[in-house]
Amino acid sequence: MKWIAALFVASLLAGSAFGVAACAGSSKTAPAAVTPSASPAAAPQPNPPPAASPLPATPPAPATPPAPVAPAPPAAATPPGDASAAAPAGGEAASAGGRGGRGNPPPPPPPAPAVMPPPVAPIVSATAPTPDPRVGLKAGRWDAAQAAWNMRMLSTTPPRGRVLGATHSDLAFSGKYVIQGNYNGFEIYDISNPAKPVLMQTYLCPASQNDVSVYRNLLFMSAEATNSRADCGFEGVPEPVSKLRVRGVRVFDISDVKHPKLVTTVQTCRGSHTHTVVTDQSDDSNVYIYVSGTSGVRSAEEVPGCADGGIDDPNTARFRLEVIKVPLRAAERAAIVSSPRIFQGLPVPPRNEERAASDERDRQAAAAAAAAEGRGRQGGDGRGRGNAGPPTTGPNQCHDITVYPELGLAAGACAGLGLLLDIHDPAHPVRLDAASDANMSFWHSATFNNDGTKVLFTDEWGGGGQPRCRATDKKEWGANALFTIENRKLTFHSYYKLPAPQTPQENCVAHNGSLVPIPGRDVMVQGWYQGGLSVFDWTDVNNPQEIAYFDRGPIDEKRMAMGGSWSAYWYNGVIVSSEIARGLDIYELVPSGLISQNELAAAKTVKTAYLNTQDQQKIVWVPSFALARAYLDQLARSDGLASGTIAAARTTLANAERSGSQRKAALTQLASQLNAAAASAGDQAKVRLLASAVTDLANAPR
């Protein structure tokens, strides 16, 4: 999302035209969730600016922050949260949907209605609807037409106040809370009732991308834009070199979600576009943060020790990963502890001339349209990532790194290449393999399957700000690339791309998603910006198949306006999506011929205390009748076990669930019968999984 980050800076520079108050801090509001029939939210109430003060009790005081510069007088005496003076921060407001650069930005978006339109009733079927209802949906910021298959929207909570018009970015989860980053700060919602999320806190601190992650009581947030200030002010940092500028990782204590406290900031030489929290399996006292900075190298006058240079320069801040160590009991002492050079010796990424020609045609068309409208050269002209010209070196940074600490592996989506890393020593990751692919424009993010035998890389062709799901765009471009991991090496198998063509008015490309914990299958939900959400099964790595979706029409029917699902993640039974322009959406999957009620029930038994999608945790299913029945449903669907055996197993499970003292004996006998049947079954591995689940259920305490 580097393209959008650049637009964010432009929007802040133009902010005074809209009466942006030069203030920062937290704005605690009353519940603001808007369900299809909800009432208007209460007006936000201002709080004092955030203080970089010591935490209470025993931890020592944090280091003194840079001396704050006196803020400029506010353009209007408007308290945080007043939508009448909302800053047009964020890619969409600045860019008119990809039309950033010179010229006047469009006005801030209109506030959401008090009552949002009801969600569409989903189509439920085992086969995809034809014609695809996602094609030709009516446009509208708040009232766009919707299409849903095998999933339904539970709630949509539009942005309000100072975050209206800001780009909403990534998500993190802790307990009953979801933290949603945005380019004006972050918001914390209580989603105990997913049909009615409750806004607990709006914390104002402009930066990009303000991607967030959590661990215990700590919240981490990325900052890369040059406007980000130590005092979280909105007036930017006009000086080319300033000790007030923040580009790195902010650390907050959110023990009290209504009163987040800024603990410290770790400055990095290239900022933090994204970051990854890494746990150490042998150390419960510290966590690590892998910092992905994608900007230019800062001056040593601003951050001592920063230096630019080529790959052979031992002091260069390029071609290295920054690793921050965070002592959990003294987070104020967080600091960079290593800078592993995982990019040494990498080849130049291959160039796809056909795609480059397509990009050039888009640039010329955008320039012609801008000239016709008298706008001059525009920033959002389709250049995107990885398309500006032939690379001359291998990658010098990663966009995103996904770690799987329990397996000691990480997958780095590193611009021109995909990397596989050994992270058994989290402070010193070691590169195991690198994959290249001429069809991949910008390796953006990664997801392992649960057993770590596969990994999926996304391609953010066009930088996230361009329409890359048009009928004329090849299915291999802007897609997911699916690999197996064999002998610690990456082996390519296939691509998966959103199958419904989108319009030129919709930014669309592969973006962030997570596994859905359906046992025995590799299922993933993924955000595709204005392509909506797609749920697909990639158990067969050579033949991924879509099994559910939700989509809205474009934000604007006449021009490309930024919006759509930045990320969509499964968390404790629901799917939560960060909608760039429209706020927070929550969904649920519904039973169909492709996902059974038992499979969903088994998935909902998986509960996690927290979730950062880039820090994958091994999914473990507790023993349950739903788990055993889920495997039976899968065997019936695939003809992996004789129908008579399946019917008998269902009967035994039903009787055992009702029985008392005979339950363990009945389940133990069933497990023995299933193990015997596995030898002649069509899907022997799945039958053994079923037998193991029945055994675990027999031995589980009641």
Side-chain angles (χ1 to χ4, degrees):
M1 292 298 297
K2 192 174 183 179
W3 185 88
I4 296 178
L7 292 171
F8 169 64
V9 179
S11 72
L12 285 176
L13 295 176
S16 59
F18 298 97
V20 179
C23 59
S26 60
S27 176
K28 184 172 65 178
T29 73
V34 178
T35 60
S37 59
S39 58
Q45 300 299 316
N47 266 351
S53 57
L55 292 175
T58 55
T64 304
V69 173
T78 307
D82 188 335
S84 65
E92 190 275 327
S95 68
R99 295 180 179 180
R102 299 186 180 94
N104 295 322
V115 178
M116 293 291 285
V120 67
I123 298 170
V124 180
S125 64
T127 56
T130 54
D132 196 313
R134 290 173 286 185
V135 178
L137 290 171
K138 180 184 77 69
R141 178 174 293 272
W142 309 120
D143 61 349
Q146 304 169 358
W149 176 48
N150 294 340
M151 64 186 297
R152 68 165 57 94
M153 175 182 279
L154 295 175
S155 64
T156 181
T157 307
R160 299 182 183 276
R162 293 296 292 275
V163 300
L164 176 66
T167 292
H168 287 75
S169 55
D170 217 350
L171 303 169
F173 303 85
S174 180
K176 63 182 180 180
Y177 301 112
V178 56
I179 301 99
Q180 182 180 29
N182 66 74
Y183 283 22
N184 277 1
F186 63 86
E187 293 172 289
I188 303 177
Y189 290 91
D190 181 336
I191 59 170
S192 300
N193 180 357
K196 293 184 178 180
V198 177
L199 180 61
M200 304 299 293
Q201 176 61 232
T202 295
Y203 194 100
L204 298 176
C205 193
S208 72
Q209 301 181 138
N210 277 348
D211 278 3
V212 291
S213 59
V214 296
Y215 192 78
R216 297 182 184 171
N217 63 310
L218 298 178
L219 168 68
F220 308 101
M221 187 165 72
S222 285
E224 187 172 61
T226 57
N227 67 287
S228 181
R229 298 169 56 96
D231 61 4
C232 289
F234 273 77
E235 58 271 36
V237 186
E239 298 83 8
V241 175
S242 173
K243 295 296 184 180
L244 181 62
R245 181 175 287 114
V246 168
R247 304 178 78 184
V249 176
R250 288 183 167 100
V251 183
F252 297 87
D253 186 315
I254 57 168
S255 300
D256 180 352
V257 297
K258 294 184 178 181
H259 301 93
K261 296 180 179 179
L262 180 61
V263 178
T264 190
T265 298
V266 181
Q267 299 272 19
T268 62
C269 290
R270 299 183 68 185
S272 175
H273 191 69
T274 66
H275 68 268
T276 302
V277 171
V278 190
T279 53
D280 186 340
Q281 297 296 288
S282 61
D283 180 5
D284 195 43
S285 300
N286 303 282
V287 294
Y288 296 83
I289 300 175
Y290 291 171
V291 179
S292 297
T294 63
S295 66
V297 178
R298 301 166 73 177
S299 166
E301 296 179 46
E302 189 166 276
V303 177
C306 293
D308 205 352
I311 195 168
D312 295 325
D313 183 346
N315 298 315
T316 182
R318 298 184 188 270
F319 303 99
R320 72 187 190 193
L321 182 70
E322 305 290 9
V323 180
I324 297 171
K325 184 177 181 179
V326 183
L328 294 175
R329 295 184 180 179
E332 69 282 350
R333 296 208 298 267
I336 296 172
V337 294
S338 65
S339 300
R341 295 190 175 274
I342 62 173
F343 305 104
Q344 293 294 130
L346 288 174
V348 174
R351 178 174 167 86
N352 188 308
E353 296 298 339
E354 183 183 2
R355 190 185 61 238
S358 173
D359 291 336
E360 180 59 29
R361 289 192 295 271
D362 286 343
R363 284 195 290 272
Q364 293 177 3
E373 296 180 18
R375 290 183 281 111
R377 182 177 177 181
Q378 301 299 302
D381 59 359
R383 290 183 183 274
R385 300 178 202 244
N387 299 315
T392 57
T393 66
N396 61 57
Q397 45 83 18
C398 290
H399 179 276
D400 237 334
I401 298 174
T402 295
V403 297
Y404 201 153
E406 288 173 280
L407 300 182
L409 290 176
C414 303
L417 300 173
L419 306 185
L420 185 66
L421 308 173
D422 183 320
I423 61 163
H424 283 92
D425 179 355
H428 302 93
V430 177
R431 190 175 82 236
L432 298 173
D433 196 20
S436 64
D437 186 341
N439 282 321
M440 298 283 282
S441 172
F442 190 88
W443 301 64
H444 174 274
S445 53
T447 303
F448 291 97
N449 71 334
N450 193 48
D451 62 12
T453 59
K454 306 172 193 171
V455 63
L456 175 154
F457 289 98
T458 67
D459 175 15
E460 196 185 39
W461 172 38
Q466 298 297 317
R468 290 294 181 257
C469 302
R470 300 162 296 186
T472 54
D473 295 325
K474 295 184 71 171
K475 293 297 184 183
E476 297 84 2
W477 301 347
N480 300 323
L482 279 56
F483 292 78
T484 54
I485 302 172
E486 303 169 16
N487 298 318
R488 293 157 66 98
K489 299 292 183 182
L490 296 167
T491 301
F492 171 77
H493 285 264
S494 66
Y495 301 101
Y496 173 78
K497 187 171 183 179
L498 184 77
Q502 304 292 300
T503 68
Q505 286 72 47
E506 295 171 283
N507 57 305
C508 177
V509 76
H511 213 233
N512 295 344
S514 75
L515 296 181
V516 177
I518 295 177
R521 299 169 66 180
D522 298 324
V523 175
M524 183 169 169
V525 59
Q526 182 178 14
W528 290 77
Y529 293 115
Q530 286 196 72
L533 284 69
S534 179
V535 181
F536 59 97
D537 187 322
W538 54 302
T539 309
D540 180 351
V541 72
N542 295 306
N543 189 35
Q545 297 291 326
E546 187 172 49
I547 57 177
Y549 57 68
F550 184 94
D551 190 18
R552 291 180 173 98
I555 286 179
D556 193 296
E557 64 179 348
K558 296 181 180 179
R559 61 183 178 86
M560 214 290 291
M562 280 300 303
S565 178
W566 178 294
S567 50
Y569 303 139
W570 173 282
Y571 181 68
N572 291 349
V574 294
I575 292 169
V576 184
S577 171
S578 178
E579 222 285 357
I580 289 174
R582 294 164 171 137
L584 188 77
D585 296 332
I586 302 182
Y587 305 86
E588 68 175 357
L589 293 171
V590 298
S592 68
L594 298 171
I595 308 175
S596 73
Q597 179 63 59
N598 291 316
E599 287 176 301
L600 289 176
K604 291 179 180 180
T605 66
V606 177
K607 302 293 184 182
T608 58
Y610 74 99
L611 177 68
N612 303 308
T613 302
Q614 290 78 20
D615 174 20
Q616 280 193 233
Q617 304 171 45
K618 189 173 183 62
I619 300 169
V620 178
W621 292 268
V622 297
S624 69
F625 284 93
L627 178 62
R629 290 179 176 126
Y631 289 137
L632 280 173
D633 291 347
Q634 293 167 10
L635 288 164
R637 188 183 298 129
S638 66
D639 293 324
L641 184 63
S643 58
T645 305
I646 291 174
R650 291 192 195 279
T651 299
T652 301
L653 285 173
N655 292 336
E657 191 170 20
R658 292 191 297 266
S659 68
S661 59
Q662 300 302 311
R663 171 174 159 172
K664 180 172 183 177
L667 291 173
T668 301
Q669 183 179 9
L670 175 59
S672 178
Q673 293 168 345
L674 290 168
N675 276 318
S680 59
D683 188 344
Q684 296 182 16
K686 184 63 63 68
V687 176
R688 291 192 177 96
L689 273 177
L690 169 60
S692 178
V694 172
T695 298
D696 291 342
L697 186 58
N699 295 325
R702 297 186 62 181

